[in-house]
Amino acid sequence: EVQLVESGGGLVQPGGSLRLSCAASGFTFSSYEMNWVRQAPGKGLEWVSYISSSGSTIYYADSVKGRFTISRDNAKNSLYLQMNSLRAEDTAVYYCARDLPMVRGVVDVWGKGTTVTVSS
Amino acid sequence: DIVMTQSPDSLAVSLGERATINCKSSQSVLYSSNNKNYLAWYQQKPGQPPKLLIYWASTRESGVPDRFSGSGSGTDFTLTISSLQAEDVAVYYCQQYYSTPRITFGPGTKVDIK
C-alpha cells in the first residue's frame, strides 16, 4: 500500500525550530517529486515547498523562504522539513504530498498530516 | 502568483440532485503548446487529507466515481457532481499547476446535504 506518514509536529514557541519527517512506503520513493503543503486551522491549502526526485531542485513559497529547508534521503525513503524562526502564522497541519507521475504539480498521495502549533 | 477563486463559498443540495462548483483563475492556465488546462480538483472530508478527483481539468483520477466531472478552459472551470450522495459531503478545492511547482489552491467550497 502506498503510504506517507508524517511526524515531528508539536507545540513550539515563536522563534523556535521544529523538524518534520515523512516516511514513504509502498512505492519507489527516489523516483518521485515531493512537496510539503500546509493547512491553517479552518483555512484552505497552501503549498510550502517542493523537492525534485534527486533533491537537486528545490523551491519554497515566499512565506517560508529563508526560514524553512526541505530535504530528502532516498536511501531512507524519507522527506524532511526543517522549520526555523517559527511564527504564529506557521501554525497548521503539515502534509507530505507526492506528485502524480508525469503530471508535475498534481498531488496524488497525501499523508494524514502532522500538526504544528506556534504559541507562547 | 496565480490567484484562484471559487464560488459559491458553500452550497446545500438534496440527495440525488446536481451540485455545481465554479473556479476561476487570475490568468489562463491553458498551455498553448499542448492545449491542456493545468487545473485539478480535490475533495477534503473533515479530519482527512485532500483526495485528488480530477486533473487536466477533466481527467478523472483512477477510482473516482463517474458522477464527478470537470469542465472548462482558460480561466473558468466547473466541478459537477451529477447526483449528490451522502458521502460527497466535503470541501472541494480547485488548484492550478500551470506555475508548478508554485501551485496555488482556491479557497474551497463546502458541500452539504439540504
PDB file of all heavy atoms in Angstrom, chain A residues 39 43-45 47 50 59-60 95 100 103-108 110-111, chain B residues 42 44 48-50 52 55-56 61 93 95 97 100-103 105:
ATOM      1  N   GLN A  39      -2.048  23.511   6.026  1.00  0.00           N
ATOM      2  CA  GLN A  39      -3.425  23.985   6.147  1.00  0.00           C
ATOM      3  C   GLN A  39      -3.629  24.548   7.554  1.00  0.00           C
ATOM      4  O   GLN A  39      -3.619  23.800   8.537  1.00  0.00           O
ATOM      5  CB  GLN A  39      -4.409  22.839   5.894  1.00  0.00           C
ATOM      6  CG  GLN A  39      -5.861  23.244   5.847  1.00  0.00           C
ATOM      7  CD  GLN A  39      -6.760  22.133   5.332  1.00  0.00           C
ATOM      8  OE1 GLN A  39      -6.529  20.946   5.561  1.00  0.00           O
ATOM      9  NE2 GLN A  39      -7.804  22.507   4.595  1.00  0.00           N
ATOM     10  N   LYS A  43      -8.769  26.796   7.603  1.00  0.00           N
ATOM     11  CA  LYS A  43      -8.426  27.517   6.382  1.00  0.00           C
ATOM     12  C   LYS A  43      -8.179  26.561   5.214  1.00  0.00           C
ATOM     13  O   LYS A  43      -8.344  25.353   5.336  1.00  0.00           O
ATOM     14  CB  LYS A  43      -7.172  28.373   6.627  1.00  0.00           C
ATOM     15  CG  LYS A  43      -7.316  29.370   7.750  1.00  0.00           C
ATOM     16  CD  LYS A  43      -8.365  30.419   7.463  1.00  0.00           C
ATOM     17  CE  LYS A  43      -8.410  31.487   8.545  1.00  0.00           C
ATOM     18  NZ  LYS A  43      -9.500  32.480   8.286  1.00  0.00           N
ATOM     19  N   GLY A  44      -7.769  27.140   4.096  1.00  0.00           N
ATOM     20  CA  GLY A  44      -7.505  26.359   2.892  1.00  0.00           C
ATOM     21  C   GLY A  44      -6.092  25.826   2.842  1.00  0.00           C
ATOM     22  O   GLY A  44      -5.338  25.873   3.816  1.00  0.00           O
ATOM     23  N   LEU A  45      -5.732  25.324   1.673  1.00  0.00           N
ATOM     24  CA  LEU A  45      -4.448  24.661   1.462  1.00  0.00           C
ATOM     25  C   LEU A  45      -3.415  25.638   0.918  1.00  0.00           C
ATOM     26  O   LEU A  45      -3.722  26.444   0.028  1.00  0.00           O
ATOM     27  CB  LEU A  45      -4.633  23.506   0.477  1.00  0.00           C
ATOM     28  CG  LEU A  45      -5.621  22.432   0.931  1.00  0.00           C
ATOM     29  CD1 LEU A  45      -6.082  21.590  -0.241  1.00  0.00           C
ATOM     30  CD2 LEU A  45      -4.990  21.574   2.010  1.00  0.00           C
ATOM     31  N   TRP A  47       0.614  25.614  -0.527  1.00  0.00           N
ATOM     32  CA  TRP A  47       1.857  24.938  -0.870  1.00  0.00           C
ATOM     33  C   TRP A  47       3.023  25.605  -0.144  1.00  0.00           C
ATOM     34  O   TRP A  47       3.103  26.835  -0.091  1.00  0.00           O
ATOM     35  CB  TRP A  47       2.073  24.984  -2.381  1.00  0.00           C
ATOM     36  CG  TRP A  47       3.427  24.530  -2.802  1.00  0.00           C
ATOM     37  CD1 TRP A  47       3.876  23.246  -2.905  1.00  0.00           C
ATOM     38  CD2 TRP A  47       4.533  25.359  -3.170  1.00  0.00           C
ATOM     39  NE1 TRP A  47       5.181  23.237  -3.308  1.00  0.00           N
ATOM     40  CE2 TRP A  47       5.612  24.519  -3.473  1.00  0.00           C
ATOM     41  CE3 TRP A  47       4.714  26.742  -3.264  1.00  0.00           C
ATOM     42  CZ2 TRP A  47       6.856  25.003  -3.876  1.00  0.00           C
ATOM     43  CZ3 TRP A  47       5.942  27.226  -3.660  1.00  0.00           C
ATOM     44  CH2 TRP A  47       7.004  26.367  -3.967  1.00  0.00           C
ATOM     45  N   TYR A  50       8.815  22.370  -2.477  1.00  0.00           N
ATOM     46  CA  TYR A  50       8.931  21.284  -3.462  1.00  0.00           C
ATOM     47  C   TYR A  50      10.376  20.818  -3.533  1.00  0.00           C
ATOM     48  O   TYR A  50      11.306  21.629  -3.416  1.00  0.00           O
ATOM     49  CB  TYR A  50       8.491  21.784  -4.828  1.00  0.00           C
ATOM     50  CG  TYR A  50       9.027  20.994  -5.996  1.00  0.00           C
ATOM     51  CD1 TYR A  50       8.311  19.945  -6.537  1.00  0.00           C
ATOM     52  CD2 TYR A  50      10.274  21.307  -6.564  1.00  0.00           C
ATOM     53  CE1 TYR A  50       8.813  19.222  -7.624  1.00  0.00           C
ATOM     54  CE2 TYR A  50      10.783  20.589  -7.636  1.00  0.00           C
ATOM     55  CZ  TYR A  50      10.044  19.551  -8.164  1.00  0.00           C
ATOM     56  OH  TYR A  50      10.534  18.838  -9.226  1.00  0.00           O
ATOM     57  N   TYR A  59      12.236  24.418  -4.332  1.00  0.00           N
ATOM     58  CA  TYR A  59      11.521  25.691  -4.362  1.00  0.00           C
ATOM     59  C   TYR A  59      10.796  25.880  -3.029  1.00  0.00           C
ATOM     60  O   TYR A  59      10.405  24.913  -2.378  1.00  0.00           O
ATOM     61  CB  TYR A  59      10.483  25.714  -5.487  1.00  0.00           C
ATOM     62  CG  TYR A  59      11.060  25.695  -6.874  1.00  0.00           C
ATOM     63  CD1 TYR A  59      11.207  24.498  -7.572  1.00  0.00           C
ATOM     64  CD2 TYR A  59      11.443  26.870  -7.513  1.00  0.00           C
ATOM     65  CE1 TYR A  59      11.726  24.469  -8.853  1.00  0.00           C
ATOM     66  CE2 TYR A  59      11.956  26.846  -8.805  1.00  0.00           C
ATOM     67  CZ  TYR A  59      12.096  25.634  -9.456  1.00  0.00           C
ATOM     68  OH  TYR A  59      12.616  25.616 -10.722  1.00  0.00           O
ATOM     69  N   TYR A  60      10.572  27.150  -2.687  1.00  0.00           N
ATOM     70  CA  TYR A  60       9.844  27.497  -1.474  1.00  0.00           C
ATOM     71  C   TYR A  60       8.799  28.567  -1.769  1.00  0.00           C
ATOM     72  O   TYR A  60       8.985  29.416  -2.631  1.00  0.00           O
ATOM     73  CB  TYR A  60      10.796  28.053  -0.402  1.00  0.00           C
ATOM     74  CG  TYR A  60      11.855  27.090   0.047  1.00  0.00           C
ATOM     75  CD1 TYR A  60      13.143  27.151  -0.472  1.00  0.00           C
ATOM     76  CD2 TYR A  60      11.564  26.109   0.986  1.00  0.00           C
ATOM     77  CE1 TYR A  60      14.119  26.261  -0.070  1.00  0.00           C
ATOM     78  CE2 TYR A  60      12.547  25.207   1.403  1.00  0.00           C
ATOM     79  CZ  TYR A  60      13.819  25.297   0.868  1.00  0.00           C
ATOM     80  OH  TYR A  60      14.787  24.405   1.270  1.00  0.00           O
ATOM     81  N   TYR A  95       1.191  18.627   5.559  1.00  0.00           N
ATOM     82  CA  TYR A  95       1.028  17.395   4.799  1.00  0.00           C
ATOM     83  C   TYR A  95       2.250  17.148   3.921  1.00  0.00           C
ATOM     84  O   TYR A  95       2.732  18.052   3.230  1.00  0.00           O
ATOM     85  CB  TYR A  95      -0.183  17.479   3.881  1.00  0.00           C
ATOM     86  CG  TYR A  95      -1.516  17.572   4.573  1.00  0.00           C
ATOM     87  CD1 TYR A  95      -2.224  18.762   4.610  1.00  0.00           C
ATOM     88  CD2 TYR A  95      -2.098  16.447   5.157  1.00  0.00           C
ATOM     89  CE1 TYR A  95      -3.469  18.855   5.212  1.00  0.00           C
ATOM     90  CE2 TYR A  95      -3.351  16.533   5.769  1.00  0.00           C
ATOM     91  CZ  TYR A  95      -4.015  17.731   5.794  1.00  0.00           C
ATOM     92  OH  TYR A  95      -5.250  17.804   6.399  1.00  0.00           O
ATOM     93  N   LEU A 100       1.877  13.438  -8.764  1.00  0.00           N
ATOM     94  CA  LEU A 100       1.415  12.400  -9.682  1.00  0.00           C
ATOM     95  C   LEU A 100       2.477  12.180 -10.759  1.00  0.00           C
ATOM     96  O   LEU A 100       2.991  13.158 -11.318  1.00  0.00           O
ATOM     97  CB  LEU A 100       0.102  12.863 -10.317  1.00  0.00           C
ATOM     98  CG  LEU A 100      -0.616  11.934 -11.293  1.00  0.00           C
ATOM     99  CD1 LEU A 100      -1.106  10.688 -10.573  1.00  0.00           C
ATOM    100  CD2 LEU A 100      -1.797  12.668 -11.930  1.00  0.00           C
ATOM    101  N   VAL A 103       2.765  14.176 -14.158  1.00  0.00           N
ATOM    102  CA  VAL A 103       1.912  15.359 -14.077  1.00  0.00           C
ATOM    103  C   VAL A 103       2.376  16.188 -12.888  1.00  0.00           C
ATOM    104  O   VAL A 103       1.734  16.243 -11.833  1.00  0.00           O
ATOM    105  CB  VAL A 103       0.412  15.017 -13.937  1.00  0.00           C
ATOM    106  CG1 VAL A 103      -0.438  16.276 -14.140  1.00  0.00           C
ATOM    107  CG2 VAL A 103      -0.001  13.948 -14.933  1.00  0.00           C
ATOM    108  N   ARG A 104       3.506  16.818 -13.084  1.00  0.00           N
ATOM    109  CA  ARG A 104       4.110  17.593 -12.007  1.00  0.00           C
ATOM    110  C   ARG A 104       3.167  18.688 -11.525  1.00  0.00           C
ATOM    111  O   ARG A 104       2.600  19.434 -12.324  1.00  0.00           O
ATOM    112  CB  ARG A 104       5.408  18.197 -12.536  1.00  0.00           C
ATOM    113  CG  ARG A 104       6.251  18.892 -11.519  1.00  0.00           C
ATOM    114  CD  ARG A 104       7.525  19.357 -12.206  1.00  0.00           C
ATOM    115  NE  ARG A 104       8.283  20.269 -11.392  1.00  0.00           N
ATOM    116  CZ  ARG A 104       9.302  20.998 -11.848  1.00  0.00           C
ATOM    117  NH1 ARG A 104       9.669  20.889 -13.106  1.00  0.00           N
ATOM    118  NH2 ARG A 104       9.947  21.807 -11.047  1.00  0.00           N
ATOM    119  N   GLY A 105       3.015  18.758 -10.208  1.00  0.00           N
ATOM    120  CA  GLY A 105       2.155  19.781  -9.636  1.00  0.00           C
ATOM    121  C   GLY A 105       0.807  19.266  -9.181  1.00  0.00           C
ATOM    122  O   GLY A 105       0.082  19.977  -8.486  1.00  0.00           O
ATOM    123  N   VAL A 106       0.465  18.051  -9.554  1.00  0.00           N
ATOM    124  CA  VAL A 106      -0.772  17.426  -9.095  1.00  0.00           C
ATOM    125  C   VAL A 106      -0.400  16.408  -8.025  1.00  0.00           C
ATOM    126  O   VAL A 106       0.456  15.561  -8.242  1.00  0.00           O
ATOM    127  CB  VAL A 106      -1.510  16.730 -10.252  1.00  0.00           C
ATOM    128  CG1 VAL A 106      -2.726  15.954  -9.722  1.00  0.00           C
ATOM    129  CG2 VAL A 106      -1.950  17.756 -11.279  1.00  0.00           C
ATOM    130  N   VAL A 107      -1.044  16.507  -6.872  1.00  0.00           N
ATOM    131  CA  VAL A 107      -0.724  15.617  -5.755  1.00  0.00           C
ATOM    132  C   VAL A 107      -1.679  14.433  -5.766  1.00  0.00           C
ATOM    133  O   VAL A 107      -2.896  14.607  -5.624  1.00  0.00           O
ATOM    134  CB  VAL A 107      -0.832  16.369  -4.418  1.00  0.00           C
ATOM    135  CG1 VAL A 107      -0.623  15.404  -3.258  1.00  0.00           C
ATOM    136  CG2 VAL A 107       0.175  17.505  -4.367  1.00  0.00           C
ATOM    137  N   ASP A 108      -1.111  13.233  -5.899  1.00  0.00           N
ATOM    138  CA  ASP A 108      -1.977  12.056  -5.934  1.00  0.00           C
ATOM    139  C   ASP A 108      -1.954  11.264  -4.625  1.00  0.00           C
ATOM    140  O   ASP A 108      -2.825  10.424  -4.398  1.00  0.00           O
ATOM    141  CB  ASP A 108      -1.637  11.143  -7.115  1.00  0.00           C
ATOM    142  CG  ASP A 108      -0.307  10.422  -6.945  1.00  0.00           C
ATOM    143  OD1 ASP A 108       0.591  10.968  -6.262  1.00  0.00           O
ATOM    144  OD2 ASP A 108      -0.171   9.312  -7.493  1.00  0.00           O
ATOM    145  N   TRP A 110      -1.364  11.863  -0.366  1.00  0.00           N
ATOM    146  CA  TRP A 110      -1.177  12.760   0.766  1.00  0.00           C
ATOM    147  C   TRP A 110      -0.979  11.934   2.046  1.00  0.00           C
ATOM    148  O   TRP A 110      -1.612  10.891   2.208  1.00  0.00           O
ATOM    149  CB  TRP A 110      -2.415  13.633   0.977  1.00  0.00           C
ATOM    150  CG  TRP A 110      -2.802  14.526  -0.156  1.00  0.00           C
ATOM    151  CD1 TRP A 110      -3.367  14.145  -1.351  1.00  0.00           C
ATOM    152  CD2 TRP A 110      -2.675  15.942  -0.205  1.00  0.00           C
ATOM    153  NE1 TRP A 110      -3.591  15.243  -2.138  1.00  0.00           N
ATOM    154  CE2 TRP A 110      -3.187  16.363  -1.460  1.00  0.00           C
ATOM    155  CE3 TRP A 110      -2.201  16.903   0.679  1.00  0.00           C
ATOM    156  CZ2 TRP A 110      -3.223  17.719  -1.842  1.00  0.00           C
ATOM    157  CZ3 TRP A 110      -2.231  18.253   0.306  1.00  0.00           C
ATOM    158  CH2 TRP A 110      -2.744  18.644  -0.948  1.00  0.00           C
ATOM    159  N   GLY A 111      -0.135  12.422   2.939  1.00  0.00           N
ATOM    160  CA  GLY A 111      -0.087  11.841   4.266  1.00  0.00           C
ATOM    161  C   GLY A 111      -1.271  12.335   5.080  1.00  0.00           C
ATOM    162  O   GLY A 111      -2.057  13.158   4.604  1.00  0.00           O
TER     163      GLY A 111
ATOM    164  N   TYR B  42      -9.793  18.715  -5.876  1.00  0.00           N
ATOM    165  CA  TYR B  42      -9.604  17.824  -4.731  1.00  0.00           C
ATOM    166  C   TYR B  42     -10.851  17.866  -3.842  1.00  0.00           C
ATOM    167  O   TYR B  42     -11.543  18.884  -3.778  1.00  0.00           O
ATOM    168  CB  TYR B  42      -8.402  18.247  -3.882  1.00  0.00           C
ATOM    169  CG  TYR B  42      -7.082  18.223  -4.614  1.00  0.00           C
ATOM    170  CD1 TYR B  42      -6.682  19.295  -5.387  1.00  0.00           C
ATOM    171  CD2 TYR B  42      -6.238  17.114  -4.531  1.00  0.00           C
ATOM    172  CE1 TYR B  42      -5.481  19.280  -6.071  1.00  0.00           C
ATOM    173  CE2 TYR B  42      -5.027  17.094  -5.204  1.00  0.00           C
ATOM    174  CZ  TYR B  42      -4.650  18.189  -5.969  1.00  0.00           C
ATOM    175  OH  TYR B  42      -3.463  18.161  -6.638  1.00  0.00           O
ATOM    176  N   GLN B  44     -11.952  17.206   0.219  1.00  0.00           N
ATOM    177  CA  GLN B  44     -11.439  17.014   1.566  1.00  0.00           C
ATOM    178  C   GLN B  44     -12.593  16.840   2.551  1.00  0.00           C
ATOM    179  O   GLN B  44     -13.406  17.749   2.726  1.00  0.00           O
ATOM    180  CB  GLN B  44     -10.549  18.175   2.012  1.00  0.00           C
ATOM    181  CG  GLN B  44      -9.865  17.915   3.351  1.00  0.00           C
ATOM    182  CD  GLN B  44      -8.923  19.016   3.774  1.00  0.00           C
ATOM    183  OE1 GLN B  44      -9.129  20.193   3.480  1.00  0.00           O
ATOM    184  NE2 GLN B  44      -7.850  18.652   4.479  1.00  0.00           N
ATOM    185  N   GLN B  48      -9.617  14.644   7.382  1.00  0.00           N
ATOM    186  CA  GLN B  48      -8.858  13.834   6.427  1.00  0.00           C
ATOM    187  C   GLN B  48      -8.014  14.735   5.520  1.00  0.00           C
ATOM    188  O   GLN B  48      -8.318  15.924   5.362  1.00  0.00           O
ATOM    189  CB  GLN B  48      -9.817  13.014   5.556  1.00  0.00           C
ATOM    190  CG  GLN B  48     -10.614  11.974   6.312  1.00  0.00           C
ATOM    191  CD  GLN B  48     -11.454  11.122   5.383  1.00  0.00           C
ATOM    192  OE1 GLN B  48     -11.201  11.053   4.175  1.00  0.00           O
ATOM    193  NE2 GLN B  48     -12.462  10.455   5.933  1.00  0.00           N
ATOM    194  N   PRO B  49      -6.970  14.163   4.914  1.00  0.00           N
ATOM    195  CA  PRO B  49      -6.233  14.935   3.910  1.00  0.00           C
ATOM    196  C   PRO B  49      -7.060  15.057   2.636  1.00  0.00           C
ATOM    197  O   PRO B  49      -8.044  14.326   2.459  1.00  0.00           O
ATOM    198  CB  PRO B  49      -4.988  14.073   3.667  1.00  0.00           C
ATOM    199  CG  PRO B  49      -5.429  12.689   3.974  1.00  0.00           C
ATOM    200  CD  PRO B  49      -6.419  12.814   5.092  1.00  0.00           C
ATOM    201  N   PRO B  50      -6.680  15.960   1.766  1.00  0.00           N
ATOM    202  CA  PRO B  50      -7.385  16.060   0.473  1.00  0.00           C
ATOM    203  C   PRO B  50      -7.216  14.784  -0.342  1.00  0.00           C
ATOM    204  O   PRO B  50      -6.272  14.019  -0.150  1.00  0.00           O
ATOM    205  CB  PRO B  50      -6.692  17.251  -0.212  1.00  0.00           C
ATOM    206  CG  PRO B  50      -6.052  18.015   0.897  1.00  0.00           C
ATOM    207  CD  PRO B  50      -5.662  16.992   1.918  1.00  0.00           C
ATOM    208  N   LEU B  52      -7.354  13.558  -4.478  1.00  0.00           N
ATOM    209  CA  LEU B  52      -7.400  14.001  -5.864  1.00  0.00           C
ATOM    210  C   LEU B  52      -8.613  13.425  -6.577  1.00  0.00           C
ATOM    211  O   LEU B  52      -8.849  12.218  -6.550  1.00  0.00           O
ATOM    212  CB  LEU B  52      -6.118  13.562  -6.587  1.00  0.00           C
ATOM    213  CG  LEU B  52      -6.039  13.849  -8.076  1.00  0.00           C
ATOM    214  CD1 LEU B  52      -6.061  15.360  -8.351  1.00  0.00           C
ATOM    215  CD2 LEU B  52      -4.779  13.216  -8.671  1.00  0.00           C
ATOM    216  N   TYR B  55      -7.768  15.951 -12.779  1.00  0.00           N
ATOM    217  CA  TYR B  55      -6.656  16.783 -13.246  1.00  0.00           C
ATOM    218  C   TYR B  55      -6.808  16.984 -14.749  1.00  0.00           C
ATOM    219  O   TYR B  55      -7.686  16.383 -15.378  1.00  0.00           O
ATOM    220  CB  TYR B  55      -5.309  16.168 -12.864  1.00  0.00           C
ATOM    221  CG  TYR B  55      -5.086  14.759 -13.354  1.00  0.00           C
ATOM    222  CD1 TYR B  55      -4.346  14.514 -14.501  1.00  0.00           C
ATOM    223  CD2 TYR B  55      -5.605  13.666 -12.655  1.00  0.00           C
ATOM    224  CE1 TYR B  55      -4.137  13.227 -14.951  1.00  0.00           C
ATOM    225  CE2 TYR B  55      -5.398  12.380 -13.103  1.00  0.00           C
ATOM    226  CZ  TYR B  55      -4.657  12.154 -14.246  1.00  0.00           C
ATOM    227  OH  TYR B  55      -4.457  10.868 -14.689  1.00  0.00           O
ATOM    228  N   TRP B  56      -5.938  17.838 -15.323  1.00  0.00           N
ATOM    229  CA  TRP B  56      -6.121  18.295 -16.709  1.00  0.00           C
ATOM    230  C   TRP B  56      -7.559  18.796 -16.928  1.00  0.00           C
ATOM    231  O   TRP B  56      -8.126  18.646 -17.990  1.00  0.00           O
ATOM    232  CB  TRP B  56      -5.800  17.210 -17.722  1.00  0.00           C
ATOM    233  CG  TRP B  56      -4.391  16.715 -17.751  1.00  0.00           C
ATOM    234  CD1 TRP B  56      -3.988  15.419 -17.793  1.00  0.00           C
ATOM    235  CD2 TRP B  56      -3.174  17.499 -17.740  1.00  0.00           C
ATOM    236  NE1 TRP B  56      -2.612  15.338 -17.797  1.00  0.00           N
ATOM    237  CE2 TRP B  56      -2.092  16.597 -17.770  1.00  0.00           C
ATOM    238  CE3 TRP B  56      -2.907  18.874 -17.706  1.00  0.00           C
ATOM    239  CZ2 TRP B  56      -0.760  17.021 -17.755  1.00  0.00           C
ATOM    240  CZ3 TRP B  56      -1.591  19.296 -17.692  1.00  0.00           C
ATOM    241  CH2 TRP B  56      -0.541  18.371 -17.722  1.00  0.00           C
ATOM    242  N   GLU B  61      -9.360  10.934 -11.801  1.00  0.00           N
ATOM    243  CA  GLU B  61      -8.353  10.059 -11.214  1.00  0.00           C
ATOM    244  C   GLU B  61      -8.930   8.641 -11.099  1.00  0.00           C
ATOM    245  O   GLU B  61     -10.156   8.464 -10.945  1.00  0.00           O
ATOM    246  CB  GLU B  61      -7.943  10.594  -9.841  1.00  0.00           C
ATOM    247  CG  GLU B  61      -7.084   9.684  -8.970  1.00  0.00           C
ATOM    248  CD  GLU B  61      -5.654   9.494  -9.469  1.00  0.00           C
ATOM    249  OE1 GLU B  61      -5.415   9.597 -10.688  1.00  0.00           O
ATOM    250  OE2 GLU B  61      -4.768   9.218  -8.630  1.00  0.00           O
ATOM    251  N   TYR B  93     -11.722  21.769  -3.423  1.00  0.00           N
ATOM    252  CA  TYR B  93     -10.729  22.775  -3.797  1.00  0.00           C
ATOM    253  C   TYR B  93     -10.319  22.612  -5.258  1.00  0.00           C
ATOM    254  O   TYR B  93     -10.061  21.492  -5.713  1.00  0.00           O
ATOM    255  CB  TYR B  93      -9.461  22.631  -2.954  1.00  0.00           C
ATOM    256  CG  TYR B  93      -9.633  22.885  -1.479  1.00  0.00           C
ATOM    257  CD1 TYR B  93      -9.886  21.842  -0.597  1.00  0.00           C
ATOM    258  CD2 TYR B  93      -9.523  24.176  -0.954  1.00  0.00           C
ATOM    259  CE1 TYR B  93     -10.031  22.077   0.773  1.00  0.00           C
ATOM    260  CE2 TYR B  93      -9.666  24.421   0.398  1.00  0.00           C
ATOM    261  CZ  TYR B  93      -9.928  23.368   1.251  1.00  0.00           C
ATOM    262  OH  TYR B  93     -10.067  23.604   2.595  1.00  0.00           O
ATOM    263  N   GLN B  95      -7.267  23.755  -7.967  1.00  0.00           N
ATOM    264  CA  GLN B  95      -5.827  24.033  -7.846  1.00  0.00           C
ATOM    265  C   GLN B  95      -5.227  24.189  -9.231  1.00  0.00           C
ATOM    266  O   GLN B  95      -5.498  23.385 -10.127  1.00  0.00           O
ATOM    267  CB  GLN B  95      -5.131  22.889  -7.118  1.00  0.00           C
ATOM    268  CG  GLN B  95      -3.610  23.008  -7.035  1.00  0.00           C
ATOM    269  CD  GLN B  95      -2.897  21.766  -7.542  1.00  0.00           C
ATOM    270  OE1 GLN B  95      -3.380  20.639  -7.374  1.00  0.00           O
ATOM    271  NE2 GLN B  95      -1.743  21.955  -8.169  1.00  0.00           N
ATOM    272  N   TYR B  97      -1.800  24.161 -11.584  1.00  0.00           N
ATOM    273  CA  TYR B  97      -0.407  23.724 -11.580  1.00  0.00           C
ATOM    274  C   TYR B  97       0.310  24.239 -12.820  1.00  0.00           C
ATOM    275  O   TYR B  97       1.358  23.715 -13.215  1.00  0.00           O
ATOM    276  CB  TYR B  97      -0.284  22.209 -11.425  1.00  0.00           C
ATOM    277  CG  TYR B  97      -1.147  21.343 -12.323  1.00  0.00           C
ATOM    278  CD1 TYR B  97      -0.602  20.694 -13.421  1.00  0.00           C
ATOM    279  CD2 TYR B  97      -2.491  21.143 -12.039  1.00  0.00           C
ATOM    280  CE1 TYR B  97      -1.379  19.875 -14.227  1.00  0.00           C
ATOM    281  CE2 TYR B  97      -3.277  20.335 -12.837  1.00  0.00           C
ATOM    282  CZ  TYR B  97      -2.713  19.703 -13.930  1.00  0.00           C
ATOM    283  OH  TYR B  97      -3.495  18.896 -14.732  1.00  0.00           O
ATOM    284  N   THR B 100       3.593  25.402 -11.780  1.00  0.00           N
ATOM    285  CA  THR B 100       4.268  24.408 -10.961  1.00  0.00           C
ATOM    286  C   THR B 100       5.768  24.671 -10.918  1.00  0.00           C
ATOM    287  O   THR B 100       6.345  25.105 -11.922  1.00  0.00           O
ATOM    288  CB  THR B 100       3.981  22.991 -11.490  1.00  0.00           C
ATOM    289  OG1 THR B 100       4.469  22.015 -10.591  1.00  0.00           O
ATOM    290  CG2 THR B 100       4.641  22.789 -12.850  1.00  0.00           C
ATOM    291  N   PRO B 101       6.470  24.476  -9.775  1.00  0.00           N
ATOM    292  CA  PRO B 101       5.907  23.851  -8.581  1.00  0.00           C
ATOM    293  C   PRO B 101       5.150  24.803  -7.672  1.00  0.00           C
ATOM    294  O   PRO B 101       4.678  24.391  -6.618  1.00  0.00           O
ATOM    295  CB  PRO B 101       7.149  23.292  -7.881  1.00  0.00           C
ATOM    296  CG  PRO B 101       8.209  24.278  -8.213  1.00  0.00           C
ATOM    297  CD  PRO B 101       7.918  24.710  -9.637  1.00  0.00           C
ATOM    298  N   ARG B 102       5.077  26.080  -8.054  1.00  0.00           N
ATOM    299  CA  ARG B 102       4.362  27.044  -7.206  1.00  0.00           C
ATOM    300  C   ARG B 102       2.865  26.914  -7.441  1.00  0.00           C
ATOM    301  O   ARG B 102       2.217  27.800  -8.019  1.00  0.00           O
ATOM    302  CB  ARG B 102       4.852  28.451  -7.486  1.00  0.00           C
ATOM    303  CG  ARG B 102       6.330  28.607  -7.182  1.00  0.00           C
ATOM    304  CD  ARG B 102       6.816  30.021  -7.438  1.00  0.00           C
ATOM    305  NE  ARG B 102       8.258  30.099  -7.300  1.00  0.00           N
ATOM    306  CZ  ARG B 102       8.916  30.112  -6.160  1.00  0.00           C
ATOM    307  NH1 ARG B 102       8.257  30.083  -5.021  1.00  0.00           N
ATOM    308  NH2 ARG B 102      10.239  30.171  -6.137  1.00  0.00           N
ATOM    309  N   ILE B 103       2.332  25.810  -6.981  1.00  0.00           N
ATOM    310  CA  ILE B 103       0.907  25.549  -7.159  1.00  0.00           C
ATOM    311  C   ILE B 103       0.108  26.402  -6.186  1.00  0.00           C
ATOM    312  O   ILE B 103       0.584  26.752  -5.100  1.00  0.00           O
ATOM    313  CB  ILE B 103       0.594  24.054  -6.935  1.00  0.00           C
ATOM    314  CG1 ILE B 103       1.015  23.589  -5.542  1.00  0.00           C
ATOM    315  CG2 ILE B 103       1.266  23.208  -8.015  1.00  0.00           C
ATOM    316  CD1 ILE B 103       0.682  22.156  -5.222  1.00  0.00           C
ATOM    317  N   PHE B 105      -4.056  27.014  -4.594  1.00  0.00           N
ATOM    318  CA  PHE B 105      -5.377  26.428  -4.424  1.00  0.00           C
ATOM    319  C   PHE B 105      -6.429  27.518  -4.302  1.00  0.00           C
ATOM    320  O   PHE B 105      -6.149  28.628  -3.839  1.00  0.00           O
ATOM    321  CB  PHE B 105      -5.417  25.580  -3.148  1.00  0.00           C
ATOM    322  CG  PHE B 105      -4.494  24.389  -3.160  1.00  0.00           C
ATOM    323  CD1 PHE B 105      -3.165  24.528  -2.780  1.00  0.00           C
ATOM    324  CD2 PHE B 105      -4.951  23.138  -3.531  1.00  0.00           C
ATOM    325  CE1 PHE B 105      -2.308  23.431  -2.770  1.00  0.00           C
ATOM    326  CE2 PHE B 105      -4.114  22.039  -3.531  1.00  0.00           C
ATOM    327  CZ  PHE B 105      -2.789  22.197  -3.154  1.00  0.00           C
TER     328      PHE B 105
END
